[in-house]
Amino acid sequence: SQMKNLTASALLFLFCIQAVAQTASSADTSGTWQSYGSLLNKAKYPEIKGRLFNYNWRDLETSPNVWNWVQFDNDLNAWAADSLPVILLIYTKEDAPDWLYKNGVPKVTEKDEQGNSIGYSPYYADTDYKRFFKRMITNVHQHLETLPTGTRKQIIAIQACLGNTGDYIGYKGIVDAKYALTADEFFELYKEFSLYYYNEYANTSPKIYHLSNPSNDGADETNWLMA
């Protein structure tokens, strides 16, 4: 799983570099990107060429349509203060708000082959989940447009986190049959959520690109995404 994430991240950066080069050919965005940990000074660590800004949906929307932007803004402003480009990621799955499960969204328990609980997930195909998730996507974008100019211009992309962190949408274990989804059903959800993200950021200025991780063996997903 760690190798998968590293590979996906490498591809993510390659796509991002190509996208940025189309609009700012003089910008050197290749190199090492900071993801977690304390903010590193770019003067001391000149190999850092950008940062990933990771945030949990549950920490943003603390109750239905009640938003806590204070910590988000403080962290994002600091992340962008030294003019390095920033890629934003908002996590769902176990990082989605707990109030979802009191507002119509089934909570899906994931188990290993021995029947032990190993995690949980919202039921991605649920109508209420789709509504709440899409509302979050829209609200995050609307808020980004209110940020100080110095911060807003450094946000060059948002990665659509649809499942576990930035992975392809899916469960991470065996689930009850009534919540099981086929590969085709996950593909349809991937398309629905990816299109929503893409359309939300399609007309941004300065441009915020939509980034996505198809599954490792997902030729169909990759071909659809590129088309």
Side-chain angles (χ1 to χ4, degrees):
S1 178
Q2 184 178 15
M3 183 58 70
K4 173 185 174 183
N5 288 337
L6 288 172
T7 302
S9 297
L11 291 173
L12 167 69
F13 298 148
L14 287 175
F15 281 125
C16 182
I17 292 162
Q18 290 177 335
V20 173
Q22 293 175 3
T23 56
S25 58
S26 61
D28 177 13
T29 55
S30 61
T32 301
W33 285 56
Q34 181 181 2
S35 183
Y36 290 101
S38 301
L39 191 66
L40 298 178
N41 188 298
K42 76 170 185 178
K44 185 176 181 180
Y45 301 95
E47 65 273 21
I48 296 177
K49 300 300 183 182
R51 297 190 176 96
L52 299 186
F53 183 74
N54 306 280
Y55 217 82
N56 297 332
W57 177 9
R58 68 189 306 156
D59 296 326
L60 270 184
E61 193 176 2
T62 53
S63 57
N65 212 24
V66 175
W67 302 85
N68 180 9
W69 299 108
V70 175
Q71 192 63 50
F72 179 89
D73 288 356
N74 287 343
D75 292 347
L76 186 53
N77 287 332
W79 230 234
D82 55 7
S83 301
L84 288 177
V86 174
I87 297 174
L88 183 65
L89 301 93
I90 306 294
Y91 293 142
T92 183
K93 196 177 181 288
E94 291 172 327
D95 295 317
D98 287 337
W99 57 256
L100 289 177
Y101 309 116
K102 298 178 181 178
N103 288 269
V105 180
K107 187 176 186 178
V108 181
T109 300
E110 301 163 321
K111 298 181 179 181
D112 62 19
E113 294 181 353
Q114 287 73 45
N116 301 308
S117 177
I118 56 174
Y120 64 90
S121 170
Y123 181 43
Y124 299 115
D126 179 70
T127 301
D128 288 318
Y129 175 76
K130 291 182 180 183
R131 176 167 56 89
F132 293 136
F133 186 59
K134 291 175 181 177
R135 184 177 70 187
M136 180 275 290
I137 295 169
T138 296
N139 273 268
V140 168
H141 174 217
Q142 289 177 346
H143 184 76
L144 294 181
E145 300 300 345
T146 71
L147 293 172
T149 302
T151 299
R152 170 62 183 86
K153 70 180 182 179
Q154 298 309 124
I155 303 170
I156 64 168
I158 184 163
Q159 184 180 349
C161 298
L162 309 180
N164 187 56
T165 62
D167 292 351
Y168 183 71
I169 188 169
Y171 297 128
K172 296 296 182 181
I174 301 168
V175 304
D176 189 285
K178 65 181 177 181
Y179 298 127
L181 295 167
T182 66
D184 286 343
E185 288 171 326
F186 273 123
F187 187 18
E188 290 304 311
L189 288 170
Y190 173 74
K191 290 191 286 186
E192 179 179 352
F193 293 143
S194 294
L195 276 172
Y196 195 88
Y197 254 114
Y198 176 82
N199 289 329
E200 182 64 41
Y201 287 90
N203 298 315
T204 48
S205 180
K207 182 65 177 176
I208 298 177
Y209 288 90
H210 160 252
L211 306 178
S212 181
N213 277 344
S215 58
N216 281 2
D217 58 353
D220 290 341
E221 293 100 314
T222 302
N223 291 335
W224 175 84
L225 185 67
M226 299 304 292

